[in-house]
Amino acid sequence: MGTKYEGTADEVRALNSYIKLNRASESIMNRTTEHLAHYNLTLSQFSVLEALHHLGKLTQVELAQKLLKSTGNMTTVLQNLEKRGLICRQRSADDQRYVFVTITETGRELITRIFPTHVAGIVQAMGALSAEEQETLAALCRKLGIGQ
């Protein structure tokens, strides 16, 4: 579905591209994350576990920046993960403004169990594109993401 806006050629082209990008993003996210509900995880919660598993201890602010979330949203996500014993938060002894987040053994076991299925779903979804098209898409998304 394209835009019904009757603007300039540049406006219509930009709007149509934007709509298609948004629709494709929503569609692929829905297909590749539906399995998370079986583990009672939101995408944000899964993303935190994945980041901590692969990157190690991070501050709440670093997590929020990496996951493109607000610090307020991140606090709620972390509270829910902590209640389940999947992460641990600890205020910095050196600077009380910083709260470090680490994954627990229970969290590590969960992400280790989920991640292969997650990757397989992404590989399947991205299989609609050739390897070259995936590389081109990655480059274009990076260009859009940094705004240049």
Side-chain angles (χ1 to χ4, degrees), residues 2 13 25 28 35 37 53 62 69 75 79 104 113 142:
R13 183 178 49 255
S25 176
I28 200 166
H35 69 283
H53 178 67
E62 289 170 327
K69 302 291 181 189
T75 298
Q79 285 171 342
T104 63
R113 190 168 64 240
R142 177 175 170 85

Side-chain angles (χ1 to χ4, degrees), residues 24-70:
S25 176
E26 288 292 323
S27 174
I28 200 166
M29 288 302 285
N30 288 339
R31 287 183 281 141
T32 59
T33 61
E34 64 186 349
H35 69 283
L36 298 177
H38 299 292
Y39 302 95
N40 196 28
L41 288 173
T42 65
L43 178 57
S44 293
Q45 291 170 334
F46 172 83
S47 298
V48 165
L49 293 175
E50 190 271 332
L52 294 173
H53 178 67
H54 288 106
L55 301 175
K57 177 170 67 172
L58 296 168
T59 67
Q60 284 190 200
V61 172
E62 289 170 327
L63 273 169
Q65 290 170 343
K66 287 191 179 307
L67 302 178
L68 303 176
K69 302 291 181 189
S70 71

Side-chain angles (χ1 to χ4, degrees), residues 59-140:
T59 67
Q60 284 190 200
V61 172
E62 289 170 327
L63 273 169
Q65 290 170 343
K66 287 191 179 307
L67 302 178
L68 303 176
K69 302 291 181 189
S70 71
T71 53
N73 176 262
M74 188 54 51
T75 298
T76 301
V77 169
L78 295 176
Q79 285 171 342
N80 289 326
L81 287 170
E82 193 170 39
K83 284 178 191 173
R84 292 181 58 187
L86 301 174
I87 60 133
C88 180
R89 293 185 294 169
Q90 187 172 13
R91 196 162 293 281
S92 170
D94 298 330
D95 188 337
Q96 294 290 301
R97 293 175 297 172
Y98 295 100
V99 176
F100 286 99
V101 184
T102 55
I103 191 168
T104 63
E105 189 55 38
T106 303
R108 189 172 311 284
E109 289 171 5
L110 181 60
I111 194 69
T112 300
R113 190 168 64 240
I114 296 172
F115 203 69
T117 302
H118 188 70
V119 171
I122 291 171
V123 169
Q124 181 181 6
M126 295 305 289
L129 303 176
S130 69
E132 183 179 329
E133 288 171 328
Q134 289 180 42
E135 293 290 336
T136 300
L137 177 62
L140 291 171

